[in-house]
Amino acid sequence: MFETIDAWSQVIRDPFMNAARQAESLPLLFAFLLGIVGALAPCQLSGNISAMTLYGSSSLKKGISWRETGWYTVGKIAAFSLLGTIVVFLGQEFQRQLPLFFQPMRQFLGPLLIFIGIFLLGWLRIPDFLPALKLKKRPGSVGAFLLGFTFSLGFCPTMFILFFTLLMPQAVASPAGFIMPPLFALGTSLPLVLLIFIMWYLDLGRAAVKKSRAVGLFVQKAAGVVLIALGIMDMLTFW
């Protein structure tokens, strides 16, 4: 399954990879293009499709989810910036140990998607056993940030090569290197940002909000089913 997904995604990401190679003399553009390639890597596809399903359905139900999309992107920026900082300060020896950490993180994402899907279907009420969430003024923003951060740590060989083998050597050598991991993160977030922008531009959120409550509930439950299916496929692939 992984090989099938990888072969399919490679067809889409190859043009961006070629563009990144041609932009190596422009570090900031190089970082952003590598991020787009990373967004199409097998390990990031399920996370990106899940985020698009989650926040796309939320936009249809409650209005365009710009805030959650922004915090999701900030979570990804925080994750990749942290990884870049760790590599710079702890060196390549620590970098060689990172795959031992990424494998269980990648395997964690499948169950996480199933958990979120069950929650959207209404089979689980998170506040029942996590009362601390009631204290949050904006739990959606906190959840979006944590989701973006967590999804970013779901590395596979393709993503590892893009970030640690191609991006970080350039970042260490460039005067603007500290900006490159955040730009890489923005590239990985591009599919979600484009989807939400298109929904905003076409005014789909306002149009859907005017519909009945039953439509919003259907959209939410459909998103829950999609996320559970993605979680099961993710576990079949990475477990």
Side-chain angles (χ1 to χ4, degrees):
M1 186 180 292
F2 180 88
E3 290 175 353
T4 302
I5 296 172
D6 186 51
W8 175 79
S9 69
Q10 187 171 356
V11 174
I12 304 174
R13 67 178 190 257
D14 273 354
F16 295 102
M17 190 69 230
N18 294 333
R21 290 194 182 101
Q22 295 175 5
E24 284 191 53
S25 59
L26 303 170
L28 302 185
L29 179 60
F30 175 71
F32 182 71
L33 290 172
L34 277 187
I36 297 176
V37 177
L40 302 171
C43 52
Q44 292 290 307
L45 271 177
S46 58
N48 280 325
I49 294 173
S50 301
M52 292 165 73
T53 301
L54 182 61
Y55 299 121
S57 64
S58 177
S59 295
L60 287 175
K61 185 181 177 186
K62 302 177 182 178
I64 301 301
S65 300
W66 279 120
R67 188 181 71 194
E68 287 79 6
T69 301
W71 279 107
Y72 176 86
T73 304
V74 170
K76 294 181 78 68
I77 290 173
F80 286 112
S81 298
L82 177 63
L83 289 173
T85 302
I86 289 174
V87 170
V88 168
F89 283 98
L90 298 183
Q92 293 186 350
E93 181 59 35
F94 180 78
Q95 180 176 322
R96 283 192 284 268
Q97 302 299 321
L98 284 175
L100 300 176
F101 167 75
F102 287 139
Q103 182 175 347
M105 276 302 303
R106 192 63 198 72
Q107 292 176 328
F108 169 73
L109 295 187
L112 176 63
L113 295 179
I114 294 174
F115 176 84
I116 297 173
I118 291 174
F119 172 71
L120 291 178
L121 286 174
W123 299 345
L124 184 68
R125 294 179 58 195
I126 290 181
D128 287 345
F129 58 91
L130 290 177
L133 288 180
K134 295 180 180 179
L135 302 177
K136 301 292 185 183
K137 292 182 179 179
R138 293 185 175 181
S141 301
V142 176
F145 175 86
L146 293 175
L147 205 62
F149 190 93
T150 304
F151 281 179
S152 299
L153 300 180
F155 273 64
C156 60
T158 303
M159 196 68 173
F160 192 90
I161 291 171
L162 290 173
F163 187 78
F164 291 106
T165 304
L166 298 179
L167 180 74
M168 285 311 300
Q170 283 264 35
V172 171
S174 172
F178 67 96
I179 305 178
M180 293 178 71
L183 285 175
F184 182 88
L186 286 175
T188 64
S189 305
L190 188 61
L192 172 62
V193 174
L194 281 177
L195 172 68
I196 299 302
F197 175 79
I198 291 170
M199 295 181 71
W200 168 80
Y201 183 77
L202 297 178
D203 206 18
L204 296 182
R206 183 180 301 177
V209 167
K210 291 179 180 178
K211 301 294 182 180
S212 67
R213 183 174 179 273
V215 172
L217 188 60
F218 171 79
V219 169
Q220 176 178 315
K221 290 187 178 298
V225 171
V226 170
L227 288 176
I228 291 174
L230 285 170
I232 292 171
M233 289 184 65
D234 204 79
M235 291 181 68
L236 289 172
T237 304
F238 293 102
W239 284 57

